[in-house]
Amino acid sequence: MDWITIALLLLFGLLFLVAEVLFIPGTTLVGLVGFALLAAGIWFGYRDLGSSAGHITLITAVVLAGVIIYIGLRPKNLHKFALTDVNNSSVRDARRPDIEPGTVGRTLSALRPAGTALFEDDRREVVTRGEFLAAGTVVRVLGIEQNRIVVERAA
């Protein structure tokens, strides 16, 4: 094997190592492939180029792999790739006790049979039991079924 093939083995081994450390950590398959390519490049370097060139190949591969791992695992560099924002929002749950059966509100859109209703200052998605109601109709909550607020025309 000539030196170009050995250099390409080392280059692709280091690229796989970079991919493992920076882009897909924890996979280990990519890291193992990178390590195998590095080991093959070093072994071919000793076998085909002699012991002094093999030592240079070994030292170069170890130093570059160490630099890649050191730079990749620094906390400052990990924050560039990691999700650090915290989502403190919540989902409005129709089962919350602020809308109780018997609560009276007004429809904001036509209910055909689903639409939007306003209960005090709280907009909610509501459904009827099949009846069609025009916008502005006064409705009363019958109950909450499977996370849906069921309403009817208030008498």
Side-chain angles (χ1 to χ4, degrees), residues 5-27:
T5 307
I6 294 169
L8 287 175
L9 283 171
L10 294 174
L11 176 70
F12 283 114
L14 290 171
L15 288 176
F16 272 83
L17 194 61
V18 166
E20 171 71 31
V21 170
L22 292 181
F23 301 116
I24 44 177
T27 311

Side-chain angles (χ1 to χ4, degrees), residues 132-150:
F132 297 96
L133 300 176
T137 305
V138 178
V139 293
R140 187 183 75 220
V141 176
L142 291 175
I144 298 173
E145 299 173 358
Q146 299 174 353
N147 294 337
R148 295 184 304 172
I149 301 172
V150 180

Side-chain angles (χ1 to χ4, degrees), residues 42-59:
I42 293 168
W43 184 72
F44 284 131
Y46 273 109
R47 189 188 78 176
D48 296 340
L49 301 177
S51 112
S52 61
H55 290 322
I56 293 171
T57 305
L58 174 65
I59 291 170

